[in-house]
Amino acid sequence: MSRKQAREGAMKLLYQMESNDDFSDNEMRVFLENFPFDEKEEKYIIESINTIKENLEDIDSHIKQNLESWSIHRLAKVDLAALRISIYEILYRKDIPTEVSINEAIEIVKKYSNNDSFKFINGVLGGFVKNINEKK
């Protein structure tokens, strides 16, 4: 299993869902029917997307709190999807180290977004982690 491939799949599915404004199970089913993933990758994608959908308001509120002079609606959809996945992993997946979640988000936006997005993503996630660590 490649968790990197599973994360990229989750990002692509979140991107598609956000673009189509359709977060339905049918949208996920169609996506998974059209892209080959092994069983463990598909399991990660389904679990992550379902948890993100169930906690979207909370996850997005964390993103909004760490945007300086930006609106969440102005974010590139790839960047937004990468942030949602990383925050999901940090909050809900204790088996994945925080540093790994941040690094993987940065790698995804380096591959799929514009050249400077990784700096922005690193700043937002750094602020998020700092805020949650202060609350502990």
Side-chain angles (χ1 to χ4, degrees):
M1 172 193 142
S2 166
R3 188 164 289 153
K4 180 182 286 290
Q5 204 170 354
R7 274 189 194 92
E8 286 187 15
M11 182 279 298
K12 290 174 182 178
L13 178 53
L14 276 176
Y15 175 92
Q16 177 178 313
M17 290 174 143
E18 183 71 26
S19 295
N20 295 334
D21 195 25
D22 183 357
F23 288 82
S24 69
D25 290 342
N26 185 58
E27 188 84 357
M28 182 169 19
R29 183 186 54 75
V30 170
F31 178 85
L32 292 172
E33 286 174 358
N34 286 289
F35 295 96
F37 294 100
D38 70 28
E39 187 177 321
K40 290 181 180 179
E41 292 166 344
E42 189 169 306
K43 182 179 179 206
Y44 170 88
I45 292 168
I46 292 168
E47 286 177 3
S48 63
I49 297 300
N50 285 335
T51 304
I52 290 168
K53 286 179 359 181
E54 291 167 11
N55 299 283
L56 191 60
E57 284 185 31
D58 183 51
I59 291 169
D60 283 357
S61 74
H62 287 293
I63 295 170
K64 290 173 188 173
Q65 290 170 14
N66 292 284
L67 295 176
E68 294 181 17
S69 304
W70 276 80
S71 161
I72 196 168
H73 303 291
R74 289 184 59 204
L75 295 179
K77 287 178 179 37
V78 169
D79 297 352
L80 179 58
L83 285 168
R84 285 174 171 165
I85 293 166
S86 185
I87 290 174
Y88 148 75
E89 287 184 349
I90 293 166
L91 292 177
Y92 302 100
R93 295 291 301 256
K94 300 308 175 197
D95 61 320
I96 303 172
T98 297
E99 298 79 20
V100 171
S101 295
I102 293 171
N103 186 57
E104 290 297 322
I106 290 168
E107 292 304 314
I108 285 173
V109 297
K110 280 182 177 179
K111 184 173 180 179
Y112 293 100
S113 195
N114 71 51
N115 291 339
D116 291 329
S117 285
F118 76 94
K119 296 174 193 173
F120 176 74
I121 297 301
N122 189 45
V124 172
L125 292 174
F128 165 69
V129 169
K130 181 180 175 196
N131 288 338
I132 63 170
N133 286 339
E134 288 174 356
K135 292 178 182 176
K136 287 183 179 177

